[in-house]
Amino acid sequence: MTMSKRDTYTPESLLAVAVQVFNERGYDGTSMEHLSRAAGISKSSIYHHVRGKEELLQRAVGRALEGLFGILDERGARDGRAVLRLEYVTRRTTEVLMDELPYVTLLLRVRGNTPTERRAMERRREFDQRVSELLKDAVAEGDLRADVEARLATRLLFGMINSLVEWYRPDGRGAEGADQVVDAVVRLAFDGLRA
Amino acid sequence: MTMSKRDTYTPESLLAVAVQVFNERGYDGTSMEHLSRAAGISKSSIYHHVRGKEELLQRAVGRALEGLFGILDERGARDGRAVLRLEYVTRRTTEVLMDELPYVTLLLRVRGNTPTERRAMERRREFDQRVSELLKDAVAEGDLRADVEARLATRLLFGMINSLVEWYRPDGRGAEGADQVVDAVVRLAFDGLRA
């Protein structure tokens, strides 16, 4: 008989466990059995909280997307010249990625095998599209270079930002502080490596 | 009985099939059975070519690493000011990534569960380290900004370059040409988005 701990999970704490397992094993490779073992409670206890693993995925990517789309409603993303709004969105996207690291990691790794995954990928593309529009506006206002196509520039910008999920660890000993990373992203994205 | 085609594979063509399966299913998730089905030849025919799937992984990541380390021996990476050498390495790394897309994709995705994977990750870190040293030299020569720590700048540079494995498709209709992508990477990495 498996020893199970008493189920004292909240929706949030159960979600945190599930997201960790999804990121380690991949969403496709995770079974309810894996989730049950990682949480230390029975499968039926998990079903008391959620209908199944797809609901956990939905909540997890929902949290990441809410964080990202929330940025676009902030004053810094709405007021002023496009270049300043894009700089604000770049900074805040990097911050949200670090604050919600496991959730955004999962969002960036979903592969589209289920309706929830496909919907998440679609919403993520919408976000990229909104940022791409902002970049186009900043080019039109003469503040950003016009010799790199906007969609390509947006992809490379997100390539730089999203790479954080591969190497940034908030508790890293001797690692960069979050502020230093955010400043580096903004400096390199807008002004490049050159002195 | 499974219909098998005659085994006309060369080491290279069998490797190409294996790498595609590894990238689709993940290396851990790929069995000899999967490889046999994808290649359309029996498992024993595959064993005629290689000792097992780890040898295929070794050859595949070896090909990617050979391409990358080869860059560092080219004249453009050895002669001249550090900033020009770094610019050369950035350009060539992007080109090699596009030319050897499935092999570099696999290299970037290995997770360290086997000796071959761990060795590949170690070699990849060595490559990053060599580029990081070049970046430091260019900072010391006054050509690159000193206000972003070299290791962090290298990570963000590779973040931008390596993101290509997520979205670049050589045959993409309406997609950017390879030259346009290489130019965009070099421009944004060195001079940033700003006009």
Side-chain angles (χ1 to χ4, degrees):
Chain A
M1 185 184 151
T2 310
M3 283 293 288
S4 288
K5 62 176 178 181
R6 215 173 119 246
D7 178 7
T8 56
Y9 282 104
T10 63
E12 286 68 33
S13 62
L14 182 62
L15 190 61
V17 171
V19 168
Q20 196 180 344
V21 182
F22 290 156
N23 282 331
E24 279 167 15
R25 311 188 66 96
Y27 174 70
D28 290 337
T30 302
S31 65
M32 286 300 283
E33 183 62 33
H34 294 133
L35 294 176
S36 157
R37 255 183 276 149
I41 59 174
S42 67
K43 281 193 270 185
S44 65
S45 294
I46 295 183
Y47 282 120
H48 176 72
H49 292 280
V50 288
R51 281 188 305 276
K53 71 168 191 163
E54 190 152 357
E55 184 178 329
L56 286 163
L57 178 69
Q58 197 163 26
R59 287 195 196 172
V61 296
R63 178 165 159 169
L65 287 163
E66 205 174 297
L68 293 172
F69 277 94
I71 295 167
L72 303 177
D73 293 329
E74 292 169 7
R75 181 175 296 177
R78 288 188 289 112
D79 298 345
R81 284 182 82 83
V83 64
L84 296 176
R85 287 185 283 136
L86 182 66
E87 199 175 309
Y88 180 86
V89 169
T90 300
R91 177 175 296 278
R92 290 285 297 126
T93 299
T94 310
E95 285 171 355
V96 166
L97 191 149
M98 293 191 294
D99 289 345
E100 304 285 350
L101 193 63
Y103 301 92
V104 180
T105 301
L106 184 63
L107 174 67
L108 295 177
R109 288 187 185 161
V110 294
R111 284 285 164 256
N113 295 321
T114 61
T116 300
E117 287 174 274
R118 284 191 289 276
R119 176 76 185 131
M121 290 171 77
E122 197 182 295
R123 289 282 286 161
R124 189 189 144 199
R125 276 194 296 269
E126 272 173 48
F127 183 77
D128 293 5
Q129 186 58 34
R130 294 277 297 271
V131 176
S132 188
E133 292 300 327
L134 199 48
L135 196 145
K136 271 182 209 162
D137 291 345
V139 172
E141 290 175 7
D143 292 323
L144 293 191
R145 60 194 311 152
D147 61 355
V148 176
E149 194 264 320
R151 203 178 51 141
L152 180 51
T154 309
R155 279 175 162 161
L156 293 171
L157 174 63
F158 278 117
M160 186 188 268
I161 297 173
N162 294 344
S163 75
L164 266 73
V165 306
E166 302 297 331
W167 55 265
Y168 178 74
R169 296 297 170 264
D171 53 358
R173 298 167 302 281
E176 304 77 12
D179 292 350
Q180 196 192 339
V181 172
V182 173
D183 285 347
V185 168
V186 173
R187 282 174 191 165
L188 295 187
F190 285 83
D191 299 308
L193 287 165
R194 225 182 290 277
Chain B
M1 185 183 152
T2 311
M3 282 293 286
S4 289
K5 64 177 179 183
R6 216 173 117 245
D7 178 7
T8 55
Y9 282 104
T10 62
E12 286 67 34
S13 63
L14 183 62
L15 190 61
V17 172
V19 167
Q20 196 181 345
V21 182
F22 291 157
N23 281 331
E24 279 167 15
R25 313 188 64 96
Y27 175 69
D28 291 336
T30 302
S31 66
M32 286 300 282
E33 182 62 34
H34 294 133
L35 294 177
S36 157
R37 253 182 279 150
I41 59 175
S42 66
K43 279 193 272 186
S44 64
S45 295
I46 295 182
Y47 283 119
H48 175 74
H49 291 281
V50 289
R51 281 187 307 277
K53 73 169 190 161
E54 190 153 356
E55 185 179 330
L56 287 163
L57 177 69
Q58 198 162 25
R59 288 195 194 170
V61 296
R63 177 164 161 170
L65 287 163
E66 207 175 295
L68 293 172
F69 277 94
I71 295 168
L72 302 177
D73 293 329
E74 292 169 8
R75 181 176 294 178
R78 290 187 289 110
D79 298 345
R81 285 184 81 83
V83 64
L84 295 177
R85 286 185 283 138
L86 182 67
E87 200 174 308
Y88 180 85
V89 170
T90 299
R91 178 175 295 279
R92 290 284 297 126
T93 299
T94 309
E95 284 170 356
V96 166
L97 191 148
M98 292 189 295
D99 289 346
E100 304 286 350
L101 193 63
Y103 302 92
V104 180
T105 301
L106 184 63
L107 174 67
L108 295 176
R109 288 188 185 160
V110 295
R111 282 287 165 256
N113 294 321
T114 61
T116 300
E117 287 174 275
R118 283 191 290 276
R119 176 76 185 130
M121 289 171 78
E122 198 182 295
R123 290 282 287 159
R124 190 190 142 197
R125 275 194 298 269
E126 272 172 48
F127 183 76
D128 292 4
Q129 187 58 36
R130 294 276 296 274
V131 176
S132 188
E133 293 300 327
L134 198 49
L135 195 146
K136 271 183 208 161
D137 290 347
V139 172
E141 291 176 5
D143 291 322
L144 293 190
R145 61 194 310 152
D147 62 354
V148 175
E149 194 264 321
R151 202 179 49 141
L152 180 51
T154 309
R155 279 175 163 161
L156 293 171
L157 173 63
F158 279 116
M160 187 189 268
I161 297 172
N162 294 344
S163 75
L164 265 74
V165 306
E166 301 297 333
W167 55 264
Y168 178 73
R169 296 296 170 264
D171 53 357
R173 297 167 303 281
E176 303 76 13
D179 291 350
Q180 196 192 342
V181 172
V182 173
D183 285 346
V185 168
V186 173
R187 281 174 192 166
L188 294 188
F190 285 83
D191 299 308
L193 287 165
R194 226 183 288 278

